Amino acid sequence: SFSASVLRAFAKTFPHRVMALLFVDGWHESFGEWEEKQGFGRISWLDSLMLLVGRTGAFAAVNYLFPPPRPSWCESETQWRWIACSSSSGRFFRTMHRETRAYQENDAFLVGENTSDFPVGCLVCADSLNAAEAPPDYPCVEHNAAWLHACSRLAEVSSNSQITVINEHDHMFLLQHPEIVVNELQVLAARTNVTARP
């Protein structure tokens, strides 16, 4: 989802090198506004504490010894163990810390971008967050509505955009059903008169 910001930044910086864009359930800064209203903003001291502990590799060790329950989008226990360990390594925490601190600056750069006319496709999940994997008291319905609205705003990048809503799957659908993304790429390629390889 974060790659949506990367794609937008690239398209804004090098518009002459872009023929088309495909956003796959991508991040839009307006969702961050919803999170702030809900009181889900990051706490700076907790952020620093997590970084400090994460740098030691403690989280990776705990996840290796006591892996958290495997989510529905993972295909095997081995795959999930690898993801859990690598995503809690010291290197991962340092990178995430830099990225999250740069969010505000990145979002400010993307605001007010000029609308282009190259083809844009937006794959958006109606129920991006799987309710079964959310905390019991989390406002899952409101979250998904806000996410759907925010992701749909990615279509504003171009006057030649198309939104496709995915109803049966959650945010990780591309791991379980990559054919959905491949099909959308082929449709997008046809709109740009480019031959798409299957």
Side-chain angles (χ1 to χ4, degrees), residues 59-71:
F59 291 133
V62 169
N63 281 340
Y64 182 79
L65 296 171
F66 309 102
R70 182 169 58 90

Side-chain angles (χ1 to χ4, degrees), residues 32-160:
E33 296 167 9
W34 177 82
E35 287 183 310
E36 290 293 332
K37 288 178 184 174
Q38 299 299 313
F40 299 144
R42 290 167 36 248
I43 304 171
S44 58
W45 66 264
L46 182 59
D47 203 34
S48 299
L49 179 62
M50 292 282 282
L51 175 66
L52 181 64
V53 176
R55 280 181 164 172
T56 67
F59 291 133
V62 169
N63 281 340
Y64 182 79
L65 296 171
F66 309 102
R70 182 169 58 90
S72 60
W73 48 266
C74 270
E75 295 180 4
S76 70
E77 196 65 42
T78 303
Q79 180 189 36
W80 174 235
R81 183 177 285 260
W82 181 85
I83 292 171
C85 288
S86 62
S87 64
S88 55
S89 69
R91 177 180 289 179
F92 176 86
F93 270 87
R94 285 191 299 274
T95 302
M96 286 301 295
H97 187 69
R98 285 196 308 269
E99 292 294 343
T100 52
R101 290 210 179 263
Y103 273 161
Q104 193 170 12
E105 181 182 339
N106 293 344
D107 290 346
F109 171 74
L110 295 173
V111 169
E113 61 192 285
N114 296 325
T115 301
S116 304
D117 60 357
F118 50 73
V120 169
C122 294
L123 283 174
V124 183
C125 285
D127 295 314
S128 188
L129 179 63
N130 187 333
E133 294 170 5
D137 298 328
Y138 187 79
C140 202
V141 173
E142 293 83 358
H143 170 107
N144 286 335
W147 183 265
L148 177 63
H149 176 72
C151 288
S152 298
R153 291 195 57 188
L154 292 170
E156 297 171 5
V157 168
S158 173
S159 58
N160 183 13

Side-chain angles (χ1 to χ4, degrees), residues 19-22 118-121 160 162 181-198:
M19 295 183 69
L21 291 177
L22 176 63
F118 50 73
V120 169
N160 183 13
Q162 180 175 315
V181 179
V182 172
N183 290 340
E184 197 69 18
L185 280 170
Q186 290 175 326
V187 169
L188 192 59
R191 289 170 58 199
T192 57
N193 298 317
V194 175
T195 303
R197 294 181 179 178

